[in-house]
Amino acid sequence: MLFRTHNTRKTRTAAVAAIALSLALVATGCSAESGTSGGTDGGGDANLAITFLPKNLGNPYFDTSDAGGETAIKEFGGTFAEVGPVEATPDGQVSYINTLTQQGVGAIVVSANDPKAIGGALTEARDAGVKVVTFDSDTDPEYRDVFINQADAEGIAKVQVDLIAEQIGDAGEVAILSASANATNQNAWIKLMEEELATNHPNITLVETVYGDDDDQTSFDKTAALLQSHPNLKGIMSPTTVGIAAAARYLQTSEYKGTVALTGLGTPNQLRDYIEDGTVTAFALWNPADLGYLAAYAAKALIEGDITGADGDSFDAGELGEFTVGADGVVLLGDPFVFDKANIGDFDF
Ligand code: RAM
């Protein structure tokens, strides 16, 4: 269901084409995967019980990434589980981490709501022998073994700014609708988006950044409030799949449809209708299933002692091929990919 090319990119064009192919393939391969059961433990004495801990449950993005993890874990004969809080609060994951430590899992694969709030619990887990992989949203590096980064932060920031600039004629007021205020990934991207706007788009003004907490209703309400407080708003960037979907739903039936542009990071299935009716023109993302798949293989490599998370360590990631750990224990999946009316029909996740 997956392919290998993320780590052997030759040109940007080739990479984008390859990622498109991957997304198309994985869409079919992973759509039937769900649930919390896995295979039986294998690999000799290695404890391949690997639990995914998303920012919160009920987000299709994490459903897809964690299903990718489950696919990988079944492939190598480990045991997959997924647990997580209902709300994406800074310390909402602490009790789950403590329980997993008591249970003696082999590894925790976590997307952090805050760079520090789960640090103490993760340190206790690691002291007890549990390997810690962050993916999607990192903690401070001292709290984990490796971070599986979906795409380079500069690229994620730039693709969103490029899209909004294109959609509003490179001038006017824009706002950002983010996830939770402490999210490591969103905050890193927003900082770089601000820099990119200041450096390359002098006629665009960022008037406000608001937080929908990766909660659908809060994100919807924040969109309404933004449009009310800024009557000259020309565009919204939402670097969260929950935020962009809620904002699109608001815009679709509002007087702003077609006049206020919306872009950011979304999943094709959540945004398909809005692309088709013109509420949204184009948005970006990577392949969440590949992200979870890669994170699971990194957990296996840590558990089996093939890697420690040191710069230059390399490991096998099944159908994605061989990956190498970079500086600060970061493993890079690939490039972001832009979805629009012309290609959205090729994807199902
Ligand atoms: C949401 C989450 C996640 C982020 C995506 C783009 O699903 O906030 O962390 O990576 O959006």
Side-chain angles (χ1 to χ4, degrees), residues 274-301:
Y274 308 110
I275 285 279
E276 273 159 16
D277 78 3
T279 307
V280 176
T281 313
F283 61 96
L285 200 69
W286 42 91
N287 184 341
D290 279 0
L291 187 67
Y293 184 94
L294 177 58
Y297 267 96
K300 172 183 188 280

Short mmCIF file of all heavy atoms in Angstrom, two decimals, residues 274-301:
data_model
loop_
_atom_site.label_atom_id
_atom_site.label_comp_id
_atom_site.label_asym_id
_atom_site.label_seq_id
_atom_site.Cartn_x
_atom_site.Cartn_y
_atom_site.Cartn_z
N TYR A 274 -16.13 21.55 -0.27
CA TYR A 274 -15.80 22.98 -0.32
C TYR A 274 -14.92 23.32 -1.52
O TYR A 274 -14.97 24.43 -2.05
CB TYR A 274 -15.12 23.42 0.99
CG TYR A 274 -15.93 23.00 2.20
CD1 TYR A 274 -15.48 22.00 3.06
CD2 TYR A 274 -17.17 23.59 2.45
CE1 TYR A 274 -16.22 21.60 4.15
CE2 TYR A 274 -17.93 23.19 3.54
CZ TYR A 274 -17.45 22.19 4.39
OH TYR A 274 -18.19 21.80 5.46
N ILE A 275 -14.10 22.36 -1.94
CA ILE A 275 -13.29 22.56 -3.16
C ILE A 275 -14.24 22.52 -4.35
O ILE A 275 -14.17 23.34 -5.26
CB ILE A 275 -12.21 21.45 -3.28
CG1 ILE A 275 -11.07 21.69 -2.30
CG2 ILE A 275 -11.71 21.34 -4.70
CD1 ILE A 275 -10.03 22.70 -2.73
N GLU A 276 -15.16 21.57 -4.31
CA GLU A 276 -16.04 21.41 -5.46
C GLU A 276 -16.97 22.60 -5.64
O GLU A 276 -17.27 22.99 -6.75
CB GLU A 276 -16.79 20.08 -5.37
CG GLU A 276 -15.93 18.99 -6.01
CD GLU A 276 -16.25 17.57 -5.60
OE1 GLU A 276 -17.35 17.34 -5.04
OE2 GLU A 276 -15.40 16.69 -5.84
N ASP A 277 -17.42 23.23 -4.53
CA ASP A 277 -18.34 24.38 -4.69
C ASP A 277 -17.60 25.73 -4.65
O ASP A 277 -18.24 26.78 -4.64
CB ASP A 277 -19.48 24.32 -3.67
CG ASP A 277 -19.05 24.77 -2.27
OD1 ASP A 277 -17.89 25.19 -2.09
OD2 ASP A 277 -19.90 24.71 -1.36
N GLY A 278 -16.27 25.70 -4.60
CA GLY A 278 -15.51 26.95 -4.70
C GLY A 278 -15.30 27.71 -3.40
O GLY A 278 -14.71 28.79 -3.40
N THR A 279 -15.77 27.16 -2.26
CA THR A 279 -15.52 27.84 -0.98
C THR A 279 -14.01 27.87 -0.71
O THR A 279 -13.48 28.84 -0.16
CB THR A 279 -16.22 27.09 0.18
OG1 THR A 279 -17.60 26.92 -0.14
CG2 THR A 279 -16.09 27.85 1.49
N VAL A 280 -13.32 26.79 -1.08
CA VAL A 280 -11.87 26.69 -0.91
C VAL A 280 -11.28 26.38 -2.29
O VAL A 280 -11.83 25.58 -3.04
CB VAL A 280 -11.51 25.54 0.07
CG1 VAL A 280 -10.00 25.35 0.18
CG2 VAL A 280 -12.11 25.81 1.45
N THR A 281 -10.15 27.06 -2.62
CA THR A 281 -9.54 26.84 -3.93
C THR A 281 -8.42 25.80 -3.87
O THR A 281 -8.30 24.96 -4.76
CB THR A 281 -8.93 28.15 -4.47
OG1 THR A 281 -9.89 29.18 -4.29
CG2 THR A 281 -8.57 28.04 -5.93
N ALA A 282 -7.57 25.92 -2.85
CA ALA A 282 -6.44 24.99 -2.72
C ALA A 282 -5.96 24.98 -1.28
O ALA A 282 -6.06 25.99 -0.58
CB ALA A 282 -5.30 25.41 -3.65
N PHE A 283 -5.45 23.84 -0.84
CA PHE A 283 -4.91 23.70 0.52
C PHE A 283 -3.79 22.68 0.48
O PHE A 283 -3.55 22.05 -0.56
CB PHE A 283 -6.02 23.26 1.49
CG PHE A 283 -6.62 21.93 1.15
CD1 PHE A 283 -6.17 20.76 1.77
CD2 PHE A 283 -7.63 21.81 0.20
CE1 PHE A 283 -6.70 19.51 1.44
CE2 PHE A 283 -8.16 20.57 -0.14
CZ PHE A 283 -7.70 19.42 0.48
N ALA A 284 -3.11 22.50 1.58
CA ALA A 284 -1.94 21.61 1.58
C ALA A 284 -2.03 20.57 2.70
O ALA A 284 -2.81 20.71 3.64
CB ALA A 284 -0.66 22.43 1.74
N LEU A 285 -1.26 19.56 2.59
CA LEU A 285 -1.03 18.57 3.66
C LEU A 285 0.05 17.59 3.18
O LEU A 285 0.57 17.72 2.07
CB LEU A 285 -2.31 17.82 4.05
CG LEU A 285 -2.28 17.15 5.44
CD1 LEU A 285 -2.28 18.17 6.56
CD2 LEU A 285 -3.45 16.19 5.66
N TRP A 286 0.38 16.66 4.04
CA TRP A 286 1.26 15.55 3.69
C TRP A 286 0.38 14.32 3.82
O TRP A 286 -0.84 14.44 3.98
CB TRP A 286 2.42 15.49 4.68
CG TRP A 286 1.93 15.73 6.07
CD1 TRP A 286 1.50 14.81 6.97
CD2 TRP A 286 1.73 17.01 6.68
NE1 TRP A 286 1.06 15.45 8.11
CE2 TRP A 286 1.19 16.79 7.96
CE3 TRP A 286 1.96 18.34 6.26
CZ2 TRP A 286 0.86 17.83 8.83
CZ3 TRP A 286 1.64 19.36 7.14
CH2 TRP A 286 1.10 19.10 8.41
N ASN A 287 0.98 13.14 3.77
CA ASN A 287 0.18 11.94 3.91
C ASN A 287 0.19 11.46 5.37
O ASN A 287 1.19 10.90 5.82
CB ASN A 287 0.74 10.85 2.99
CG ASN A 287 -0.11 9.60 3.03
OD1 ASN A 287 -0.89 9.41 3.97
ND2 ASN A 287 0.04 8.75 2.04
N PRO A 288 -0.90 11.69 6.12
CA PRO A 288 -0.91 11.31 7.54
C PRO A 288 -0.70 9.81 7.75
O PRO A 288 -0.10 9.41 8.75
CB PRO A 288 -2.30 11.71 8.03
CG PRO A 288 -2.91 12.54 6.96
CD PRO A 288 -2.17 12.26 5.69
N ALA A 289 -1.16 8.98 6.81
CA ALA A 289 -0.98 7.53 6.97
C ALA A 289 0.50 7.16 6.89
O ALA A 289 0.99 6.34 7.67
CB ALA A 289 -1.78 6.77 5.91
N ASP A 290 1.21 7.78 5.97
CA ASP A 290 2.66 7.53 5.88
C ASP A 290 3.36 8.00 7.15
O ASP A 290 4.32 7.38 7.61
CB ASP A 290 3.27 8.28 4.69
CG ASP A 290 3.06 7.56 3.36
OD1 ASP A 290 2.45 6.47 3.36
OD2 ASP A 290 3.52 8.08 2.33
N LEU A 291 2.87 9.12 7.71
CA LEU A 291 3.50 9.65 8.93
C LEU A 291 3.39 8.64 10.07
O LEU A 291 4.37 8.36 10.77
CB LEU A 291 2.81 10.98 9.31
CG LEU A 291 3.44 11.74 10.46
CD1 LEU A 291 4.83 12.26 10.08
CD2 LEU A 291 2.55 12.91 10.88
N GLY A 292 2.20 8.08 10.26
CA GLY A 292 2.01 7.09 11.32
C GLY A 292 2.79 5.81 11.05
O GLY A 292 3.35 5.20 11.95
N TYR A 293 2.82 5.43 9.77
CA TYR A 293 3.54 4.21 9.36
C TYR A 293 5.03 4.36 9.69
O TYR A 293 5.65 3.47 10.28
CB TYR A 293 3.31 4.04 7.86
CG TYR A 293 3.89 2.79 7.23
CD1 TYR A 293 3.13 1.64 7.08
CD2 TYR A 293 5.19 2.79 6.72
CE1 TYR A 293 3.65 0.50 6.46
CE2 TYR A 293 5.72 1.66 6.10
CZ TYR A 293 4.94 0.51 5.98
OH TYR A 293 5.46 -0.60 5.36
N LEU A 294 5.59 5.52 9.32
CA LEU A 294 7.01 5.77 9.59
C LEU A 294 7.29 5.82 11.09
O LEU A 294 8.30 5.29 11.57
CB LEU A 294 7.42 7.09 8.91
CG LEU A 294 8.84 7.59 9.12
CD1 LEU A 294 9.87 6.56 8.66
CD2 LEU A 294 9.05 8.92 8.36
N ALA A 295 6.40 6.46 11.84
CA ALA A 295 6.59 6.56 13.30
C ALA A 295 6.60 5.17 13.94
O ALA A 295 7.38 4.90 14.86
CB ALA A 295 5.48 7.42 13.90
N ALA A 296 5.74 4.28 13.45
CA ALA A 296 5.69 2.93 14.01
C ALA A 296 7.00 2.18 13.74
O ALA A 296 7.53 1.49 14.62
CB ALA A 296 4.51 2.16 13.42
N TYR A 297 7.52 2.32 12.53
CA TYR A 297 8.80 1.65 12.22
C TYR A 297 9.95 2.25 13.04
O TYR A 297 10.89 1.54 13.42
CB TYR A 297 9.10 1.70 10.72
CG TYR A 297 8.57 0.46 10.01
CD1 TYR A 297 7.33 0.46 9.38
CD2 TYR A 297 9.30 -0.73 10.00
CE1 TYR A 297 6.83 -0.68 8.75
CE2 TYR A 297 8.82 -1.87 9.37
CZ TYR A 297 7.59 -1.84 8.75
OH TYR A 297 7.09 -2.98 8.15
N ALA A 298 9.90 3.57 13.31
CA ALA A 298 10.94 4.17 14.15
C ALA A 298 10.85 3.61 15.56
O ALA A 298 11.88 3.31 16.21
CB ALA A 298 10.78 5.69 14.17
N ALA A 299 9.63 3.42 16.06
CA ALA A 299 9.44 2.84 17.40
C ALA A 299 10.03 1.43 17.44
O ALA A 299 10.75 1.06 18.38
CB ALA A 299 7.95 2.80 17.74
N LYS A 300 9.77 0.66 16.41
CA LYS A 300 10.32 -0.71 16.33
C LYS A 300 11.85 -0.68 16.36
O LYS A 300 12.49 -1.43 17.10
CB LYS A 300 9.84 -1.37 15.04
CG LYS A 300 10.48 -2.72 14.73
CD LYS A 300 9.96 -3.21 13.36
CE LYS A 300 10.39 -4.65 13.06
NZ LYS A 300 11.76 -4.73 12.58
N ALA A 301 12.45 0.22 15.57
CA ALA A 301 13.92 0.31 15.50
C ALA A 301 14.50 0.70 16.85
O ALA A 301 15.57 0.20 17.25
CB ALA A 301 14.32 1.30 14.41
#
